[in-house]
Amino acid sequence: MISHYKQAMDSLSLSPEARGRIAGKLRRPNRLVKFRPAAIAAAAAALVLILGTTAAAGGIALHELPAAIIQSLQPVRLSDTDQGITMTVQSASAEDGVFTAYITMTDERGGQRLAQGVDFYDSYRINMPYGASATTSGCTPLGYDEFSESYGFLVNIQVMDDNWRTVDFSNKKFTFSVRQLMLGQNRTKPEVSLDWDDLPNEPHTQQKYCYGGSYSEGYELPQGFPGGMVDFLQPGTMDVPVTDGVTITAGGFLDSRLHLLLRYDNTGADDHGWLWLTSTVDWRADVTPCVSMNYHEEDGSKYEELIYDVTPEDLEGRVLSGKFTTGGYLLNGDWKVTFTLMDGE
């Protein structure tokens, strides 16, 4: 099994420091260790899962990738190191105006800077082909692989012209770069119980400039949303902790809908989260917000109002569940890899 792993390591791009750490983990101990057959089978299965051999991509994926993506990727295996962190473009493709790349980040200091998660913080770029004027991009985190101490991403970037038509890449030479990393964020899944009977039917409101938000189609949007003055709940009527740096600061019913106002205390550069209503009787009856809208205060705090299409009668037996990402810090750097993709490979 170790020989198979060595073959995999030979085809995977990792820095010498990372290779050394992994090799140390693979060395046989001097003491005699007994394994039950079931344990050996489980260890072998785990190693296969971690390796995720991708022969079609000409290399190895340390993170789980969709099979269709794997088959379209060409090996690159080029790296750049800054701030003690190595970025590697493991493999990539460019088809029909869409650039796709499997990226790994490895901490050469052997610490835990990447273990809590890494975010490119919208700072990743590729060189634009001729005729392109706009891009749409997405970055899917693939998680942290403890064995290689690397964090993976699947990046997709589509380029378009002035008329929002897809532009094919005019050449196969690319430069992928990252300027900032978001590190050390806390990810929590809180549950919050509220006394729904205490929520007012006519809560106080105030007008604030709504700089953005989201909504589901088919719902009437508040007047002025987004990019205008919108009626928000008056904060300070409640003080219910959700997670570190986030509280429910107001709640009530407006126009027969439940409104909850969250306050973010500016603990991190990209604090965000989501609360939905869950039923203690039927998990299939979850209710997500139909509208969310945001505003900022001068002290750096952020407010987000969540609107649910439920009435007071619908709230019996319900609690709030959520997913939040808070805290962390930005690490500036200059990670840049230039590579060529060949036709027909």
Side-chain angles (χ1 to χ4, degrees), residues 186-207:
N186 297 314
R187 291 170 173 80
T188 57
K189 296 181 178 180
E191 288 193 357
V192 182
S193 296
L194 295 179
D195 189 344
W196 304 116
D197 293 333
D198 288 345
L199 297 182
N201 289 321
E202 295 181 1
H204 296 294
T205 61
Q206 61 178 1
Q207 285 220 321

Side-chain angles (χ1 to χ4, degrees), residues 5 9 18-28 147:
Y5 192 85
M9 291 296 294
R19 285 179 178 273
R21 290 196 301 272
I22 294 175
K25 295 177 182 179
L26 285 173
R27 293 190 185 99
R28 291 183 175 87
F147 200 79

Side-chain angles (χ1 to χ4, degrees), residues 117-121 180-185 269-270 327-331:
V118 191
D119 193 313
F120 284 157
Y121 201 57
Q180 283 184 321
L181 300 178
M182 173 71 80
L183 301 172
Q185 291 180 301
D270 187 31
Y329 63 96
L330 287 172
L331 179 67

Side-chain angles (χ1 to χ4, degrees), residues 62 78 80 102 119 151 153 160 230 236 251 256:
L62 291 170
L78 294 175
D80 188 28
Y102 167 42
D119 193 313
Y151 200 94
F153 297 93
M160 291 160 290
V230 176
S256 299

